[in-house]
Amino acid sequence: WHGVVCFGGRVVELLLNLNNVACMGSLNVTALATHVHELRYIDLSDNLFTGDLPSELYKMTQLQSIVLSGNRVTGALSEDIGALVNLRHLDLSANAMRGALPQALGNLRKLEVLYLGESGLENKNSFTGPIPESWKGLKSLKHFSLAGNENIGGGIPDWLLNNLDELQELTLSACGLSGVLPANIDQLKALVTMDLGGNNLSGDIPIDSLARLSHLKHLRL
């Protein structure tokens, strides 16, 4: 079947992104959670799913990738997300979600990609800050975006600079951030892209620190 990938007779991937079918209605994963025990990758991006994320999704602890961007998903991101300890890729961008950023997301030590921002044609998320300090546990994180969540607020967290050694992309544009660009920004040694545009940052630009980011290719202030 189109979009269904099997290995060893078991379904391991469900890839129904922008498949000209436009799946719609509330997202129901009860059957998947109950019967499809080897499922590792779900990509249902750019469809017309509505409603909250189902609680059964957080019971699928074998999942490594969840991509639901470009839908009409609403509601909060539950603290139960912390149960998905094998997750490497989480993309909920360009939906209509809101509520506080969950502390428990910091449990996802294998997470490499975290996209909770960006604007779609019709919707954008509106998560509220601050960015939890528990997220310093995201030691494997390489790509991180909260772009467009205007109510994150606060400054650029010091723990972010001190703990996310693998980070290559930091996109916090239009997040309502204030304060200065920290002089120790050079601790993010792997950084390739940094976008902090559309905020309320002030003060001097730490040129010397930025110059030490030898991998940096894209800087937007």
mmCIF file of all heavy atoms in Angstrom, residues 3 5-6 12 25 28 40 55 71 73 78 96 116 137 145-146 150 167-168 170 174 176 194 198 202 207 211:
data_model
loop_
_atom_site.group_PDB
_atom_site.id
_atom_site.type_symbol
_atom_site.label_atom_id
_atom_site.label_comp_id
_atom_site.label_asym_id
_atom_site.label_seq_id
_atom_site.Cartn_x
_atom_site.Cartn_y
_atom_site.Cartn_z
ATOM 1 N N GLY A 3 2.601 4.398 0.957
ATOM 2 C CA GLY A 3 2.907 5.018 2.237
ATOM 3 C C GLY A 3 3.091 4.061 3.395
ATOM 4 O O GLY A 3 3.358 4.492 4.520
ATOM 5 N N VAL A 5 5.292 1.014 4.869
ATOM 6 C CA VAL A 5 6.574 0.319 4.702
ATOM 7 C C VAL A 5 6.650 -0.818 5.711
ATOM 8 O O VAL A 5 6.383 -0.622 6.905
ATOM 9 C CB VAL A 5 7.753 1.295 4.911
ATOM 10 C CG1 VAL A 5 9.088 0.557 4.775
ATOM 11 C CG2 VAL A 5 7.674 2.446 3.912
ATOM 12 N N CYS A 6 7.006 -1.995 5.219
ATOM 13 C CA CYS A 6 7.103 -3.169 6.091
ATOM 14 C C CYS A 6 8.539 -3.687 6.141
ATOM 15 O O CYS A 6 9.318 -3.491 5.220
ATOM 16 C CB CYS A 6 6.188 -4.280 5.584
ATOM 17 S SG CYS A 6 4.443 -3.877 5.631
ATOM 18 N N VAL A 12 6.496 -0.908 9.766
ATOM 19 C CA VAL A 12 7.453 -0.121 10.545
ATOM 20 C C VAL A 12 7.356 1.381 10.234
ATOM 21 O O VAL A 12 7.806 2.210 11.020
ATOM 22 C CB VAL A 12 8.898 -0.599 10.306
ATOM 23 C CG1 VAL A 12 9.087 -2.004 10.860
ATOM 24 C CG2 VAL A 12 9.260 -0.547 8.828
ATOM 25 N N GLY A 25 -10.347 14.958 9.698
ATOM 26 C CA GLY A 25 -11.003 14.480 10.903
ATOM 27 C C GLY A 25 -10.023 14.416 12.059
ATOM 28 O O GLY A 25 -8.849 14.762 11.933
ATOM 29 N N ASN A 28 -6.898 9.520 15.062
ATOM 30 C CA ASN A 28 -7.197 8.356 15.882
ATOM 31 C C ASN A 28 -6.107 7.309 15.668
ATOM 32 O O ASN A 28 -5.950 6.781 14.568
ATOM 33 C CB ASN A 28 -8.565 7.780 15.501
ATOM 34 C CG ASN A 28 -9.018 6.693 16.453
ATOM 35 O OD1 ASN A 28 -8.208 5.914 16.951
ATOM 36 N ND2 ASN A 28 -10.322 6.628 16.707
ATOM 37 N N ARG A 40 7.719 2.482 13.786
ATOM 38 C CA ARG A 40 8.805 3.356 14.234
ATOM 39 C C ARG A 40 8.654 4.793 13.717
ATOM 40 O O ARG A 40 9.069 5.725 14.382
ATOM 41 C CB ARG A 40 10.152 2.802 13.750
ATOM 42 C CG ARG A 40 10.499 1.437 14.322
ATOM 43 C CD ARG A 40 10.783 1.515 15.811
ATOM 44 N NE ARG A 40 11.254 0.233 16.350
ATOM 45 C CZ ARG A 40 10.462 -0.696 16.866
ATOM 46 N NH1 ARG A 40 9.157 -0.482 16.893
ATOM 47 N NH2 ARG A 40 10.943 -1.828 17.347
ATOM 48 N N SER A 55 -4.405 10.585 23.341
ATOM 49 C CA SER A 55 -3.592 10.098 24.465
ATOM 50 C C SER A 55 -2.873 8.798 24.115
ATOM 51 O O SER A 55 -1.794 8.506 24.643
ATOM 52 C CB SER A 55 -4.468 9.902 25.703
ATOM 53 O OG SER A 55 -5.507 8.974 25.438
ATOM 54 N N ASN A 71 -0.892 20.500 9.734
ATOM 55 C CA ASN A 71 -2.261 20.058 9.923
ATOM 56 C C ASN A 71 -3.041 21.146 10.663
ATOM 57 O O ASN A 71 -2.663 22.319 10.637
ATOM 58 C CB ASN A 71 -2.296 18.728 10.679
ATOM 59 C CG ASN A 71 -2.000 17.542 9.786
ATOM 60 O OD1 ASN A 71 -2.829 17.109 9.002
ATOM 61 N ND2 ASN A 71 -0.782 17.005 9.895
ATOM 62 N N VAL A 73 -4.013 20.548 14.036
ATOM 63 C CA VAL A 73 -4.026 19.974 15.380
ATOM 64 C C VAL A 73 -4.091 21.100 16.407
ATOM 65 O O VAL A 73 -3.402 22.119 16.285
ATOM 66 C CB VAL A 73 -2.772 19.109 15.609
ATOM 67 C CG1 VAL A 73 -2.758 18.553 17.024
ATOM 68 C CG2 VAL A 73 -2.729 17.973 14.585
ATOM 69 N N SER A 78 0.930 17.318 25.799
ATOM 70 C CA SER A 78 0.842 16.742 27.137
ATOM 71 C C SER A 78 2.213 16.426 27.729
ATOM 72 O O SER A 78 3.173 16.117 27.007
ATOM 73 C CB SER A 78 0.007 15.456 27.074
ATOM 74 O OG SER A 78 0.064 14.746 28.289
ATOM 75 N N ALA A 96 -2.119 24.400 15.203
ATOM 76 C CA ALA A 96 -2.793 25.420 16.008
ATOM 77 C C ALA A 96 -2.761 25.032 17.479
ATOM 78 O O ALA A 96 -3.723 25.212 18.220
ATOM 79 C CB ALA A 96 -4.241 25.612 15.543
ATOM 80 N N LEU A 116 8.576 22.951 16.864
ATOM 81 C CA LEU A 116 7.273 23.272 17.448
ATOM 82 C C LEU A 116 6.768 24.624 16.972
ATOM 83 O O LEU A 116 5.788 25.142 17.522
ATOM 84 C CB LEU A 116 7.364 23.274 18.986
ATOM 85 C CG LEU A 116 7.764 21.959 19.648
ATOM 86 C CD1 LEU A 116 7.838 22.128 21.163
ATOM 87 C CD2 LEU A 116 6.786 20.841 19.296
ATOM 88 N N GLY A 137 18.223 18.417 29.280
ATOM 89 C CA GLY A 137 18.446 16.983 29.130
ATOM 90 C C GLY A 137 18.447 16.516 27.686
ATOM 91 O O GLY A 137 18.750 15.350 27.413
ATOM 92 N N SER A 145 13.527 24.459 16.742
ATOM 93 C CA SER A 145 12.801 25.655 16.306
ATOM 94 C C SER A 145 11.516 25.844 17.109
ATOM 95 O O SER A 145 10.712 24.908 17.249
ATOM 96 C CB SER A 145 12.450 25.576 14.820
ATOM 97 O OG SER A 145 11.649 26.686 14.450
ATOM 98 N N LEU A 146 11.355 27.067 17.612
ATOM 99 C CA LEU A 146 10.098 27.511 18.222
ATOM 100 C C LEU A 146 9.557 28.726 17.474
ATOM 101 O O LEU A 146 8.732 29.470 17.993
ATOM 102 C CB LEU A 146 10.321 27.884 19.698
ATOM 103 C CG LEU A 146 10.619 26.743 20.669
ATOM 104 C CD1 LEU A 146 10.961 27.304 22.043
ATOM 105 C CD2 LEU A 146 9.431 25.792 20.767
ATOM 106 N N GLU A 150 4.854 33.536 19.730
ATOM 107 C CA GLU A 150 5.128 34.897 20.200
ATOM 108 C C GLU A 150 5.106 35.054 21.715
ATOM 109 O O GLU A 150 5.565 36.069 22.235
ATOM 110 C CB GLU A 150 4.113 35.849 19.568
ATOM 111 C CG GLU A 150 4.193 35.880 18.039
ATOM 112 C CD GLU A 150 3.068 36.672 17.405
ATOM 113 O OE1 GLU A 150 2.114 37.039 18.148
ATOM 114 O OE2 GLU A 150 3.134 36.924 16.191
ATOM 115 N N LEU A 167 23.966 20.998 19.084
ATOM 116 C CA LEU A 167 22.998 21.835 18.380
ATOM 117 C C LEU A 167 23.598 22.484 17.133
ATOM 118 O O LEU A 167 24.613 23.164 17.192
ATOM 119 C CB LEU A 167 22.477 22.925 19.325
ATOM 120 C CG LEU A 167 21.168 23.599 18.915
ATOM 121 C CD1 LEU A 167 20.028 22.582 18.905
ATOM 122 C CD2 LEU A 167 20.835 24.752 19.849
ATOM 123 N N GLN A 168 22.956 22.253 15.985
ATOM 124 C CA GLN A 168 23.381 22.828 14.711
ATOM 125 C C GLN A 168 22.439 23.933 14.240
ATOM 126 O O GLN A 168 22.857 24.830 13.514
ATOM 127 C CB GLN A 168 23.450 21.736 13.643
ATOM 128 C CG GLN A 168 24.470 20.646 13.945
ATOM 129 C CD GLN A 168 24.429 19.529 12.926
ATOM 130 O OE1 GLN A 168 23.862 19.670 11.842
ATOM 131 N NE2 GLN A 168 25.005 18.391 13.271
ATOM 132 N N LEU A 170 19.455 26.687 15.635
ATOM 133 C CA LEU A 170 18.709 27.332 16.715
ATOM 134 C C LEU A 170 17.832 28.410 16.083
ATOM 135 O O LEU A 170 18.327 29.442 15.640
ATOM 136 C CB LEU A 170 19.664 27.949 17.740
ATOM 137 C CG LEU A 170 18.997 28.727 18.885
ATOM 138 C CD1 LEU A 170 18.106 27.805 19.713
ATOM 139 C CD2 LEU A 170 20.051 29.392 19.772
ATOM 140 N N ALA A 174 10.773 35.527 16.301
ATOM 141 C CA ALA A 174 9.406 35.949 16.658
ATOM 142 C C ALA A 174 8.856 35.174 17.845
ATOM 143 O O ALA A 174 7.721 34.695 17.833
ATOM 144 C CB ALA A 174 8.489 35.823 15.454
ATOM 145 N N GLY A 176 9.109 36.568 21.044
ATOM 146 C CA GLY A 176 8.931 37.509 22.142
ATOM 147 C C GLY A 176 10.094 37.538 23.115
ATOM 148 O O GLY A 176 9.930 37.905 24.281
ATOM 149 N N MET A 194 21.587 30.154 13.016
ATOM 150 C CA MET A 194 20.970 30.794 14.173
ATOM 151 C C MET A 194 20.072 31.924 13.689
ATOM 152 O O MET A 194 20.522 32.855 13.031
ATOM 153 C CB MET A 194 22.015 31.340 15.148
ATOM 154 C CG MET A 194 21.368 32.004 16.372
ATOM 155 S SD MET A 194 22.521 32.287 17.747
ATOM 156 C CE MET A 194 23.679 33.424 16.986
ATOM 157 N N GLY A 198 13.089 39.178 14.719
ATOM 158 C CA GLY A 198 11.726 39.452 15.134
ATOM 159 C C GLY A 198 11.493 39.381 16.627
ATOM 160 O O GLY A 198 10.358 39.154 17.073
ATOM 161 N N SER A 202 18.327 43.382 22.766
ATOM 162 C CA SER A 202 18.984 44.695 22.802
ATOM 163 C C SER A 202 20.440 44.506 23.211
ATOM 164 O O SER A 202 20.901 43.394 23.421
ATOM 165 C CB SER A 202 18.263 45.615 23.788
ATOM 166 O OG SER A 202 18.236 45.033 25.087
ATOM 167 N N ILE A 207 30.523 40.211 18.878
ATOM 168 C CA ILE A 207 31.200 39.867 17.624
ATOM 169 C C ILE A 207 32.290 38.815 17.835
ATOM 170 O O ILE A 207 32.419 37.864 17.058
ATOM 171 C CB ILE A 207 31.811 41.132 16.980
ATOM 172 C CG1 ILE A 207 30.710 42.143 16.640
ATOM 173 C CG2 ILE A 207 32.596 40.764 15.734
ATOM 174 C CD1 ILE A 207 29.741 41.664 15.604
ATOM 175 N N ALA A 211 32.430 35.143 16.088
ATOM 176 C CA ALA A 211 33.555 34.816 15.206
ATOM 177 C C ALA A 211 34.163 33.456 15.545
ATOM 178 O O ALA A 211 34.809 32.838 14.695
ATOM 179 C CB ALA A 211 34.620 35.904 15.296
#
